[in-house]
Amino acid sequence: MIAEQGRLAWQIATGYGQRSLVETTMGRYKSLIGPRLRARGFVGQQTEAATGVAVLNRMLQAGRPDSIRRQPVIA
């Protein structure tokens, strides 16, 4: 498909840009929280995971655009 229609058409057809955004977000998450849990006890692991989820949700919310639905203009 790349040879026939070009790289941009392939990216749009496969959703490659969305995948790239997700991978970037996970990379940021791992750099902040780390790729594994550090707590030894189960309760500590649960707390660490919950904190990680809260950080990830806040990062995603910060990068999400504020969209406003507009009323269609009738000509």
Side-chain angles (χ1 to χ4, degrees), residues 50-65:
T51 303
V53 168
V55 168
L56 181 59
N57 285 337
R58 178 172 262 188
M59 285 175 27
L60 290 173
Q61 183 180 11
R64 189 174 297 125

Side-chain angles (χ1 to χ4, degrees), residues 8-64:
L8 187 58
W10 169 77
Q11 286 182 350
I12 292 170
T14 60
Y16 185 81
Q18 183 67 28
R19 175 182 166 207
S20 176
L21 292 174
V22 170
E23 288 179 358
T24 301
T25 301
M26 290 310 297
R28 288 182 191 139
Y29 169 74
K30 285 184 175 182
S31 70
L32 287 174
I33 303 301
R36 61 190 172 115
L37 298 175
R38 291 178 176 83
R40 292 185 181 209
F42 184 65
V43 175
Q45 289 176 352
Q46 286 178 320
T47 303
E48 190 175 343
T51 303
V53 168
V55 168
L56 181 59
N57 285 337
R58 178 172 262 188
M59 285 175 27
L60 290 173
Q61 183 180 11
R64 189 174 297 125

Side-chain angles (χ1 to χ4, degrees), residues 67-72:
S67 54
I68 300 170
R69 186 175 298 266
R70 304 183 89 191
Q71 297 295 328

